[in-house]
Amino acid sequence: MFKAMLMTIFAGAMILGTAGAIEQPVPAAAAAAFKDVPASHWAYQAINDAVSKGYLKGDGSGKFRPNDPVTRAEFAAILARVSTNENAGGAAAFSDLAGHWSEKEVSEAAGKGFFSPADYANGFKPGTPLTRVEMAKWMASGLAARDGEYKQAIEDTKDTIVPVTEYYKGGLNKADYPYVSVMLGTGLMSGYPDDSFGGGKTTTRAEVAVIIQRYETTQTKAPSAFKGLNEMREVGTTGTNLRTVIPAYQYTEGHDLKSILGKSSSLRNGEGKVKVYHYIFMSGLSAEQTGSIYGRMFVDKATKFFDRSYIVFIDTSVQTLSKNFNNRSYSNGINAALQGGYRLFSSTAPKFGFKTLTTDGGDEFFSKVSETRFWVTSSVPRYITSGNSAGESYFADDGTYGGILMKKSE
């Protein structure tokens, strides 16, 4: 029981948290003297750091209230204090903030680009606990206001795959994909231990102390400094993370993988046609070191890694052309590593809510009247074993193809 509680507390520190600013200031010298923040508290150092810098404050009675959920007013005030953005000027008009302790700092946070009055047309409602998806949107918007490349990152991730359970199971609006992607990609926020994002949940003031430490550093870096964000941007714009994860691979000139996504390709046995929508590559050699932000989505300890090849997960669909189509029809019809593959043996498919091939032969798996969409796994060479290059290609029925190529250094 005690161990479970510790794990829950630790997870809280790693999840996107929020901690608020309270109206009454507490001197920096008193940061370590809060009655409810002992030296053994998991966020003790982060709280001390945030308070000493004036980002967070206590309640005026000697308490920090680390477990209280942060409110909109509190987090807006924190962002106004920690952000180095230019204030665009002009007082943000929120009708329900007149005379409220946070009025000035909420206006400043709006001026720095974290949100606008248009986002809260029915009132800011300063005492409302801030949801995690709101927090994601605020921080991503603040980064975009500071650096145009973050604005581009938001644009690039509108159609990306978001590695949280809500992506397939529901619970995350498509409009929020970019903001959550920027948070996950930069490490400002992360998911819960069950790999959900929990966008409707709130976060505590202690968690916010940790988040603000991260934000303070993140705002000084370009988005290109974060590999995870680079991956999610590449997936959002090209359908694959290949170049970010395995830069040794180049595309065959004029024939990138994006050019064949969504195109029909006949199985060699003539029993069906496949389409591919995404390729997600792993550069690592174990479940603990997958080399990709998408590792959690497809890999667990049951996943087999190989020294001589890279794993690739393929988002595909099949239109059957024979009434007895099953798993064997599919596997016997695949004629290229990038055209299809085998079922995922990890437990991630049911956890994240996507389909993979079944173990019962697949007689009932494939629809006979519409396309069946699912994920499979395949592999591509990790090394050049003969000649001067290694690679794979995939041809569509219209004659176009996509290819990846690894060449020996000259």
Side-chain angles (χ1 to χ4, degrees):
M1 180 71 175
F2 180 70
K3 182 177 181 182
M5 290 175 65
L6 285 178
M7 291 178 67
T8 300
I9 291 172
F10 177 74
M14 298 306 294
I15 296 168
L16 0 75
T18 41
I22 304 300
E23 183 176 3
Q24 301 90 338
V26 172
F34 290 119
K35 301 172 186 177
D36 52 356
V37 185
S40 59
H41 192 282
W42 66 265
Y44 178 79
Q45 293 297 337
I47 291 171
N48 275 347
D49 182 68
V51 172
S52 67
K53 292 176 179 177
Y55 299 154
L56 277 72
K57 302 173 183 179
D59 66 358
S61 69
K63 293 183 179 180
F64 182 75
R65 296 194 283 126
N67 297 322
D68 282 8
V70 76
T71 66
R72 287 176 180 169
E74 291 171 344
F75 198 62
I78 293 169
L79 291 176
R81 297 165 190 163
V82 72
S83 174
T84 56
N85 288 11
E86 292 289 332
N87 191 333
F94 294 100
S95 60
D96 57 347
L97 285 182
H100 192 272
W101 68 265
S102 68
E103 182 179 11
K104 180 180 178 181
E105 288 179 306
V106 169
S107 180
E108 183 180 351
K112 289 184 173 183
F114 290 99
F115 49 81
S116 73
D119 296 330
Y120 299 97
N122 296 319
F124 189 69
K125 297 180 175 61
T128 301
L130 188 75
T131 65
R132 285 163 57 86
V133 76
E134 276 184 294
M135 179 187 289
K137 185 174 181 179
W138 285 16
M139 289 195 289
S141 297
L143 291 171
R146 176 184 175 83
D147 184 338
E149 193 57 32
Y150 277 105
K151 184 176 181 179
Q152 186 60 51
I154 290 174
E155 183 67 27
D156 290 346
T157 51
K158 284 183 176 180
D159 294 311
T160 197
I161 295 174
V162 187
V164 292
T165 57
E166 293 94 335
Y167 180 76
Y168 278 110
K169 290 185 172 181
L172 184 65
N173 294 327
K174 192 173 189 301
D176 295 323
Y177 287 3
Y179 308 115
V180 175
S181 295
V182 171
M183 293 300 100
L184 297 176
T186 59
L188 272 171
M189 297 170 74
S190 58
Y192 285 95
D194 66 356
D195 288 312
S196 67
F197 183 74
K201 295 181 179 180
T202 59
T203 47
T204 68
R205 287 168 47 79
E207 290 168 345
V208 165
V210 176
I211 295 295
I212 287 305
Q213 279 189 321
R214 298 173 187 163
Y215 188 88
E216 189 177 21
T217 300
T218 300
Q219 69 179 337
T220 67
K221 296 181 178 180
S224 58
F226 301 98
K227 179 187 174 186
L229 182 55
N230 293 338
E231 270 192 80
M232 298 179 81
R233 293 177 70 177
E234 186 182 1
V235 170
T237 56
T238 72
T240 179
N241 63 344
L242 175 71
R243 296 290 295 120
T244 300
V245 173
I246 313 175
Y249 266 113
Q250 306 289 326
Y251 292 121
T252 304
E253 186 174 357
H255 301 281
D256 58 23
L257 295 181
K258 182 180 179 180
S259 64
I260 47 86
L261 296 181
K263 293 185 176 182
S264 292
S265 175
S266 296
L267 295 174
R268 63 183 174 185
N269 55 16
E271 294 190 47
K273 292 178 179 288
V274 303
K275 294 178 183 177
V276 171
Y277 305 94
H278 294 97
Y279 292 101
I280 302 297
F281 292 83
M282 302 285 148
S283 62
L285 287 167
S286 70
E288 292 74 27
Q289 298 291 333
T290 64
S292 169
I293 196 171
Y294 292 103
R296 71 188 71 178
M297 198 168 187
F298 300 104
V299 171
D300 66 12
K301 291 184 178 180
T303 304
K304 293 185 181 297
F305 287 79
F306 303 97
D307 292 341
R308 301 179 69 83
S309 59
Y310 292 112
I311 296 177
V312 55
F313 297 96
I314 303 175
D315 176 15
T316 186
S317 69
V318 169
Q319 176 67 62
T320 63
L321 298 178
S322 67
K323 64 180 181 179
N324 296 318
F325 194 96
N326 57 23
N327 287 356
R328 181 172 293 181
S329 307
Y330 173 74
S331 60
N332 287 344
I334 295 296
N335 58 22
L338 294 179
Q339 187 185 32
Y342 307 93
R343 74 178 297 268
L344 278 68
F345 286 93
S346 68
S347 61
T348 59
K351 181 179 182 180
F352 279 83
F354 60 82
K355 291 182 178 181
T356 189
L357 295 173
T358 59
T359 57
D360 61 3
D363 293 327
E364 303 298 325
F365 179 79
F366 293 97
S367 170
K368 303 305 186 289
V369 295
S370 61
E371 293 181 355
T372 301
R373 190 161 172 175
F374 54 99
W375 284 86
V376 292
T377 181
S378 185
S379 62
V380 298
R382 185 179 289 267
Y383 306 109
I384 299 171
T385 56
S386 63
N388 295 315
S389 64
E392 295 287 347
S393 58
Y394 166 47
F395 287 79
D397 289 344
D398 65 3
T400 59
Y401 73 94
I404 61 174
L405 190 66
M406 181 191 302
K407 295 181 179 181
K408 281 187 176 180
S409 301
E410 295 181 359

